[in-house]
Amino acid sequence: MEQFEIVQRAESRAPDILFKPAQFRISVVGEDQCTLASYNRRDFYKISLILTGRSRLFYANRGIEITAPALVFTNPLIPYSWEMLHEEPSGYFCILSDSFLHHNGRTENLEESPLFKVGGDPIYHLNPEQTAYLESIFQRIRQEADSEYVFKLDVIRNQVSLIIHEAIKMQPALAYFTHTNASSRIAKLFLNLLEKQFPVDSPENMLKLKKASDYAEKLSVHVNHLNAAVQEVTGRSTTAHINDRLLTEAKSLLQYTIWSVADIAFSLGFEYASYFNNFFKKHTGNTPLVFRKSL
C-alpha cells in the first residue's frame, strides 16, 4: 500500500526538528491487509469507491447492504465494519486525517462536512458516468503517489477535494437546509454536544454529561423544552439518543480495548459496574462479558 507521511512544522516553534505528522494512505481493495492500530477511530476518515461485488457495512447501529458501484464515507467518530457477501468487492479506498486537508491553511473540515456527519447516510450509489469519473480520480491519485514530483501531496489533496465535491453535488438539497426554528436549533445543539463526548479515550475519565438534564443545563434550556424539541425534530426521545450512543461506545470499547468491564462502566458514567451490566443486557440481551467473548 502506498503510504506517505505529511509533515507539518508545528506553529510557533522555530526548531526544524519539531514536526506535527498526519497521514494519508491509498490502496486497491483487497491488495493489502491494511490495518490501523486498534481503537484509533478518532484519527482517520475513509473514502471507499466500490466498483463491483456485494458487501454489507455495519455503521453504528445500522447494517447497510452495498451493491456496486458506490462511494462510501466513514467517520472516525462512528465504529464500523465490513462484511463481504459472495464475491470480494473491487475498487479503491483512501484513509486520511482531517489535518491532511488542513495542510498549509486549507479550510476543508471533514468533521463538519455533510458527507461525514454523524447520523448521515455514508453511502452514495453511482451512475456509470459518476463511476467512470471517480475511478479516474482514484487512478490519478495512485499514479501521483508513485511519482517523484516534489509537490505530489498538494496534487493529491486537490484530487481528494474533487472526490468530496463530486459527492456533495449528489447530496439532496434537504441536506443543506438550515432549520431556523427553535426546536431544530436546540435539537442540533444537543446532538452535536452528545457526539463531542466520544470516543472515550481513557478509563480514568468519567463521561461528564450523562442524563437529559445534564445536556439541558449545558444548553441553558429547561429539560422539558429540550425533550420536546428533540422529540419533535428527530422523532425519538433525548434519553433514547443518549442510550444509543452509550451502547455504541460500550460495544466499541469492549471490542477494541482490553479495559475491564468496571473501567468501561466508569468511563461511560455508570457509578457501579452492576448498573452498566443491567443497562447493556437490557439493550442487547447479553452481559458485557458475554458480548466480548462472542467477538
Side-chain angles (χ1 to χ4, degrees):
M1 175 191 308
E2 293 85 349
Q3 176 181 347
F4 24 86
E5 187 176 72
I6 308 157
V7 180
Q8 300 174 337
R9 187 170 301 169
E11 294 181 4
S12 73
R13 294 182 177 182
D16 290 340
I17 59 173
L18 297 176
F19 295 101
K20 180 181 179 181
Q23 290 182 318
F24 175 89
R25 305 179 187 181
I26 183 168
S27 178
V28 169
V29 173
E31 76 173 356
D32 282 310
Q33 294 297 318
C34 178
T35 58
L36 302 173
S38 63
Y39 202 64
N40 60 354
R41 291 176 291 119
R42 181 187 296 275
D43 300 325
F44 295 98
Y45 294 82
K46 186 175 182 180
I47 306 174
S48 303
L49 175 64
I50 307 301
L51 297 173
T52 63
R54 291 177 58 220
S55 59
R56 184 177 291 117
L57 174 66
F58 294 94
Y59 191 72
N61 60 350
R62 292 184 290 166
I64 310 169
E65 188 166 326
I66 301 172
T67 55
L71 192 61
V72 183
F73 295 84
T74 43
N75 186 326
L77 297 174
I78 303 295
Y80 65 89
S81 62
W82 292 87
E83 177 184 296
M84 301 305 126
L85 303 174
H86 306 299
E87 63 192 80
E88 183 81 13
S90 67
Y92 300 86
F93 67 86
C94 61
I95 298 171
L96 62 153
S97 66
D98 202 38
S99 55
F100 173 74
L101 291 183
H102 274 106
H103 185 65
N104 287 338
R106 295 173 67 112
T107 59
E108 291 90 340
N109 189 316
L110 297 179
E111 185 176 349
E112 298 299 325
S113 168
L115 304 176
F116 292 100
K117 65 182 178 182
V118 175
D121 189 344
I123 298 173
Y124 298 81
H125 293 284
L126 309 173
N127 62 36
E129 182 180 353
Q130 292 166 334
T131 302
Y133 175 65
L134 290 166
E135 184 177 8
S136 70
I137 294 178
F138 275 92
Q139 289 173 346
R140 285 197 294 273
I141 293 176
R142 290 268 300 188
Q143 292 168 1
E144 202 63 52
D146 293 332
S147 76
E148 300 297 327
Y149 182 48
V150 175
F151 301 107
K152 67 181 181 181
L153 295 185
D154 291 329
V155 175
I156 290 171
R157 286 188 193 92
N158 290 333
Q159 298 294 334
V160 172
S161 291
L162 287 176
I163 295 172
I164 291 173
H165 285 290
E166 184 65 19
I168 288 176
K169 289 191 293 184
M170 302 178 203
Q171 286 272 340
L174 183 61
Y176 300 96
F177 177 71
T178 302
H179 297 282
T180 57
N181 66 70
S183 293
S184 295
R185 181 179 60 83
I186 292 171
K188 181 178 180 181
L189 289 172
F190 160 71
L191 292 172
N192 287 340
L193 190 58
L194 172 63
E195 199 55 48
K196 284 181 179 178
Q197 293 206 95
F198 302 96
V200 174
D201 290 330
S202 171
E204 299 177 0
N205 300 320
M206 179 180 283
L207 214 63
K208 294 181 179 179
L209 305 178
K210 310 166 193 174
K211 308 183 298 294
S213 57
D214 296 333
Y215 287 89
E217 181 179 354
K218 194 75 172 177
L219 296 173
S220 300
V221 298
H222 193 279
V223 65
N224 291 342
H225 190 185
L226 173 63
N227 288 333
V230 172
Q231 183 70 43
E232 176 187 342
V233 174
T234 70
R236 304 177 70 228
S237 69
T238 308
T239 299
H241 283 285
I242 296 171
N243 287 344
D244 280 357
R245 195 62 186 85
L246 285 173
L247 187 63
T248 296
E249 192 68 12
K251 290 179 178 178
S252 296
L253 292 170
L254 289 166
Q255 181 173 0
Y256 297 114
T257 75
I258 58 172
W259 302 356
S260 69
V261 170
D263 284 341
I264 293 174
F266 176 81
S267 71
L268 293 178
F270 293 89
E271 187 175 354
Y272 300 105
S274 59
Y275 292 174
F276 173 60
N277 285 337
N278 292 338
F279 167 82
F280 195 89
K281 188 171 183 179
K282 176 182 177 181
H283 290 279
T284 69
N286 291 315
T287 65
L289 280 179
V290 171
F291 175 81
R292 174 172 270 175
K293 290 178 181 179
S294 70
L295 298 173

